Amino acid sequence: MEWIDRPSGLLAIVALTGTLAAAPASSTSVEPLAIGTLVRSSFVASDHRSVQVQAAIFPRDRVTFGVVDLPLGGPVGETVSRAFSPEVVAAVTGGYFGPGYRPKGLLEIGGKVHEPARADLSGIVGSMADETPVVVPAAGVSTAWFKDAIQAGPFVVDPGGAFGIWSDDRQHARRAIVFVSADAIGVAVTSSCTLYELADGLVRSPEAFGVERVERALNLSGGPSAGFAVRLPNGRVEGDPELIRIRTVLTIRKRAST
């Protein structure tokens, strides 16, 4: 996803077998996944628009994060869905890049840093060497901590459950995020909204994302780059695909211990 100085917008190859339908504004649907739960719901924005949410929620002690990297960019509409291996249970667009698909911000895979961290992106999402999943502020962290990691931002919900966005820039876009609650980790895509509206929805209507309270949430991508896919109990992969060529995908994987 091309980053324009502000983010505008958590593998045997499998085909994308369907598109996740957005839930009506007044309804919530909950479906089991191979691990975890898929929630389709909505929250009401400040101008009374309904913002649709598709969220996949997983127990924190059963999953971890991985990164799939395609240095030249993947096929449009298929990169997220092709990021699935047998241990992957969900995937979402993550990470920013510039011309030539060069990453903007930390990109670390298998303990090897492919691109260093930068000061103007507030969060890092990834896995520790012991597969503990983390969503942490970028300031002061060491890349030696991580096995796989990408940098993104901003935090729309700051650590501790506080609002991360305090003014509305009126820039509406589809959003992809990763979020953390007391005992769960989730990834989600939403219909078009501003970062402020997203923060408000996460803090005031966490049930729309399938949890009682959001402890922190990090914006991963926005606009046509946002894509999302999950594995169903029957093994099929379904998703809401990205609409442009992207480079990196954040995956949620079963932890080796499970």
Side-chain angles (χ1 to χ4, degrees):
M1 54 241 74
E2 188 104 11
W3 187 57
I4 49 175
D5 295 329
R6 67 178 190 283
S8 63
L10 161 208
L11 285 253
I13 294 178
V14 293
L16 184 67
T17 58
T19 299
L20 299 174
S26 59
S27 69
T28 296
S29 69
V30 179
E31 301 175 28
L33 296 175
I35 293 178
T37 305
L38 173 67
V39 176
R40 296 187 181 102
S41 189
S42 63
F43 64 89
V44 178
S46 55
D47 62 358
H48 306 294
R49 286 178 303 104
S50 177
V51 178
Q52 305 300 317
V53 176
Q54 300 175 80
I57 306 102
F58 305 92
R60 289 174 67 172
D61 61 353
R62 297 192 63 192
V63 297
T64 190
F65 292 115
V67 178
V68 175
D69 180 41
L70 290 86
L72 299 180
V76 175
E78 299 180 12
T79 304
V80 171
S81 65
R82 291 190 181 191
F84 280 73
S85 62
E87 72 273 13
V88 172
V89 293
V92 65
T93 308
Y96 300 105
F97 56 80
Y101 298 98
R102 180 174 179 178
K104 289 194 169 185
L106 177 66
L107 173 61
E108 185 170 358
I109 301 174
K112 180 180 179 181
V113 175
H114 296 264
E115 190 71 22
R118 52 191 290 164
D120 56 349
L121 288 172
S122 59
I124 290 175
V125 54
S127 60
M128 308 288 275
D130 65 357
E131 294 203 325
T132 299
V134 291
V135 181
V136 294
V141 303
S142 168
T143 56
W145 297 354
F146 303 114
K147 179 180 178 182
D148 288 357
I150 57 173
Q151 192 175 6
F155 270 105
V156 286
V157 178
D158 283 334
F163 272 85
I165 306 295
W166 286 99
S167 62
D168 196 342
D169 62 7
R170 305 294 181 184
Q171 299 296 312
H172 290 80
R174 175 179 162 88
R175 308 288 177 184
I177 62 169
V178 59
F179 60 96
V180 179
S181 71
D183 57 1
I185 280 178
V187 291
V189 289
T190 73
S191 60
S192 184
C193 62
T194 68
L195 289 172
Y196 178 83
E197 289 171 336
L198 178 58
D200 189 68
L202 285 158
V203 172
R204 299 185 189 279
S205 303
E207 66 280 357
F209 296 83
V211 295
E212 292 184 358
R213 172 182 161 92
V214 174
E215 295 293 335
R216 62 184 64 181
L218 185 68
N219 184 67
L220 294 174
S221 69
S225 63
F228 171 86
V230 294
R231 188 184 297 282
L232 302 178
N234 63 9
R236 290 194 312 161
V237 171
E238 289 190 0
D240 201 343
E242 75 283 358
L243 300 178
I244 61 173
R245 188 179 296 273
I246 60 174
R247 172 166 176 162
T248 49
V249 178
L250 181 71
T251 62
I252 291 188
R253 301 183 290 106
K254 300 175 188 177
R255 292 183 70 167
S257 59
T258 64

